Amino acid sequence: MTLKFRRRNFFTILIFLCISCWNCAIFNRNNTPLIVRVEKHLVPEETVPKVLAAPFYLPVGLAAGVLDLFIVHPILRIPDAYRDTISALWTPQPENGYMTRMAFLPFSVLLTPVFFIGDLFFRSAFDVNGNVDRARIEEVPEKKVKPLQQALSEGDRATILKCLSSYTYYEPNTLYAVLEAYPSDEEIRQLAFVKLVSALNARTFPEFEDFLLSQLNRDARTDRLLLGAFRRLSSKKASAEILRLLRTGSVPEALAKDYMIAVIYIGNEKELQYILDRIRSDKIKDGR
């Protein structure tokens, strides 16, 4: 058996597996725009004209299907694969410190093309992109999800948890209302707090800046999340508060470096000088 024959068999089997899979992307009309256009513009609705025109639209439809499968749909999935790659390899996790992120950087660089190509192939082959083809499941009624605001007003804890666990964006004011409504529910508060911090931008941050500062120096996970937000939004008020905590010695030793790095990013000249002096002092104490 020649290498060429084996290679041909391999690709034939691969294509067959992709097409025969029940969750194959090509069976979703949203993933086959060319086939949809052929069906819409070239296939007659009446039976007799449809039969007579079959020799024309069937080859065109087959060509459109091949183009959809191997060119059009993969191109449509490039943004999704890009977002997956950035999220998996290049988005820092709040619980990871600066040194951990720097140590993982070479692996991120090496894995990026592999992850991107693999993710693109998977999304191109299988219908996992969230663009539901309602025509295929029209007999199944779409389940309505209760909005977060409604669940909050009704005190529906289960729905609130479901909303907060989803990838849906919520306005900071809504998330802050959740925090106020559930002051002692740690599960809800943790989810709402993470979403709140992630949702803030330069426009909305000042309204919640004092609240976020009041949450500083409570636990390691919250601190790293907040420090990342303060750095991202260049909070001068946060820099002053972080420096105050460092000076009073109330910051745990394990988080001291994270606090100092935050000041280095957003602090003024005087605050930076304090950090440099402290680093020198620590080196002297360590005998370095």
Side-chain angles (χ1 to χ4, degrees), residues 244-288:
R244 185 190 69 80
L245 292 171
L246 286 170
R247 281 175 169 161
T248 58
S250 56
V251 177
E253 188 64 29
L255 291 172
K257 288 184 179 179
D258 295 275
Y259 273 66
M260 288 190 286
I261 289 171
V263 175
I264 290 172
Y265 269 90
I266 60 179
N268 56 37
E269 185 176 350
K270 186 177 179 181
E271 292 166 342
L272 288 175
Q273 188 60 51
Y274 172 82
I275 296 299
L276 292 175
D277 292 342
R278 173 159 177 170
I279 292 173
R280 293 193 192 100
S281 175
D282 290 343
K283 286 184 176 180
I284 292 173
K285 289 179 181 178
D286 294 340
R288 288 179 286 177

Side-chain angles (χ1 to χ4, degrees), residues 45-56:
E45 294 184 2
E46 300 296 330
T47 303
V48 175
K50 184 183 294 186
V51 172
L52 295 176
F56 172 69

Side-chain angles (χ1 to χ4, degrees), residues 60-73:
V60 176
L62 181 61
V66 172
L67 290 174
D68 277 332
L69 179 61
F70 293 105
I71 298 178
V72 177
H73 185 233

Side-chain angles (χ1 to χ4, degrees), residues 1 14 22 29 32 44 66 86-87 124 139 204 219 252:
M1 186 180 293
L14 184 63
W22 71 273
R29 291 167 59 86
T32 55
V66 172
I86 295 299
S87 175
S124 300
E139 69 278 2
T204 57
D219 61 78

